[in-house]
């Protein structure tokens, strides 16, 4: 029987997950197809129900459904429960399990690609949406000493700061972009907004962290299209270390693949396929 997995989101035109997940199935000669399941909100319940079928391995979930799928599932794994979002659904004989591989994907990329150990470091996270939540919990679980959150809508940053400190006892602060001024000396800056994304609201924009960019700081941009965002280009110019979002994307997908197949994901093949799909 040919099995299936797919990505659930809306709209989905930009997704490169099908390219690198299919490459992984093909490399391991698993008889499976990775499909694109564009799903508007009013079709979400039916889509999730369809995942219980025998031939479905599971799904990835992306914007805007990472929270909305949670009540539709039978079990939520603790990591996803803490983050408050599901990006991976696993079908175990009709029983649907929700997982989150975004946090681990981010910290794996930090360690593997930037050789950065988060323990006892200070981080500034720009943004307070789903990606910021995953990144923040990932860093907190790695033992970061402090996380400052700044967001266009300050209330969301304050709420996320409170959630992370309550769940992990990490020191946090949350506020608006004006609070960036008090964040001198951070070791890590992570852009978790869509500023700088091709086709996004501000493709040529840079989050207002210019004053913090310099030697000794690692600047990460979760945006992976383009690979070198305006933020990363400026950071590089100022002598900072830089890390783009493609590694997180591939590693979160590889962890999903492992949940579905119980096989070791061919990460190098997936990475190469992701880069090719972006070209
Ligand atoms: P989301 O939940 O919709 O959150 C969007 C965030 O961006 C919010 O903090 C929002 O601020 C902020 N924002 C949007 N437009 C802005 C603008 N013009 N100026 C300032 N802030 C703006 O989305 P998400 O899932 O967190 O994704 C955020 C970004 O991360 C996207 O670019 C996405 O592609 C990327 N991402 C990458 C990976 C990866 O694997 N590399 C994984 C997940 C996400 P408000 O709260 O004020 O609206």
């Amino acid at each position: 029987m040919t099995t299936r997995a797919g990505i659930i989101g809306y709209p989905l035109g930009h997704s490169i997950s099908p390219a690198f997940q299919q490459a992984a199935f093909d490399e391991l000669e698993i008889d499976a197809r990775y499909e694109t399941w564009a799903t508007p909100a009013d079709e979400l319940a039916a889509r999730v129900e369809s995942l219980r079928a025998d031939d479905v391995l599971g799904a990835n979930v992306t914007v805007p459904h990472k929270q909305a799928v949670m009540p539709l599932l039978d079990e939520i794994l603790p990591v996803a429960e803490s983050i408050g979002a599901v990006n991976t659904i696993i079908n175990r004989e009709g029983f649907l399990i929700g997982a989150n591989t975004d946090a681990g994907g981010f910290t794996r990329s930090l360690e593997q690609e930037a050789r950065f150990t988060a323990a006892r470091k200070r981080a500034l996270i720009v943004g307070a949406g789903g990606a910021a939540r995953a990144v923040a919990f990932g860093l907190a679980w790695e033992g970061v000493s402090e996380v400052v959150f700044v967001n266009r809508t300050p209330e969301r940053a304050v709420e996320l700061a409170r959630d992370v400190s309550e769940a992990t006892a990490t020191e946090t602060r949350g506020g608006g972009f004006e609070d960036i001024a008090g964040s001198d000396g951070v070791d890590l800056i992570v852009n978790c907004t869509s500023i700088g994304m091709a086709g996004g609201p501000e493709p040529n924009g840079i989050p207002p962290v210019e004053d913090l960019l310099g030697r000794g700081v690692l600047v990460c941009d979760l945006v992976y299209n383009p690979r070198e965002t305006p933020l990363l280009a400026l950071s590089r110019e100022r002598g900072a270390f830089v890390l783009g979002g493609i590694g997180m994307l591939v590693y979160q997908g590889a962890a999903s693949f492992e949940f579905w197949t119980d096989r070791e994901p061919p990460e190098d093949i997936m990475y190469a396929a992701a880069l090719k799909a972006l070209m």
Side-chain angles (χ1 to χ4, degrees), residues 3 15 30 57 72 77 101 110 125 127 173 176 192 204 211 213 254:
T3 53
S15 177
I30 295 171
L57 300 171
L72 305 172
L77 297 184
T101 63
L110 266 188
I125 291 181
R173 264 182 312 118
C192 301
N204 302 313
D211 291 348
L213 306 178

Side-chain angles (χ1 to χ4, degrees), residues 36-62:
T36 300
W37 294 329
T39 307
D42 60 349
E43 292 172 18
L44 185 63
R47 171 68 69 195
V48 170
E49 209 44 39
S50 76
L51 302 178
R52 299 181 193 276
D54 284 354
D55 66 334
V56 176
L57 300 171
N60 285 122
V61 184
T62 186

Side-chain angles (χ1 to χ4, degrees), residues 127-131 151-153 156 192-195 202 222 245 248-249:
N151 194 43
R152 175 177 64 181
T153 310
R156 294 186 78 197
C192 301
T193 74
S194 37
I195 298 173
E202 289 186 50
L222 296 203
M248 173 179 176
L249 183 72

Side-chain angles (χ1 to χ4, degrees), residues 85-197:
V86 159
N87 79 329
T88 303
I89 299 173
I90 307 135
N91 178 26
R92 293 263 189 268
E93 298 177 350
F95 186 83
L96 298 181
I97 301 168
N100 190 307
T101 63
D102 279 333
F106 176 70
T107 50
R108 178 91 205 286
S109 170
L110 266 188
E111 284 155 19
Q112 187 85 6
E113 300 184 283
R115 304 282 165 210
F116 184 92
T117 306
R120 292 179 294 283
K121 302 288 193 336
R122 294 178 62 215
L124 173 77
I125 291 181
V126 187
R133 291 192 80 84
V135 165
F137 275 93
L139 289 172
W141 290 324
E142 292 294 320
V144 79
S145 66
E146 184 190 3
V147 188
V148 179
F149 297 90
V150 292
N151 194 43
R152 175 177 64 181
T153 310
E155 301 75 39
R156 294 186 78 197
V158 171
E159 190 186 330
L160 179 50
R162 195 195 52 224
D163 288 354
V164 172
S165 80
E166 277 178 11
T168 67
T170 305
E171 200 176 308
T172 64
R173 264 182 312 118
F177 286 159
E178 66 283 1
D179 294 296
I180 291 172
S183 305
D184 285 356
V186 291
D187 305 292
L188 175 68
I189 298 170
V190 191
N191 174 37
C192 301
T193 74
S194 37
I195 298 173
M197 183 172 77

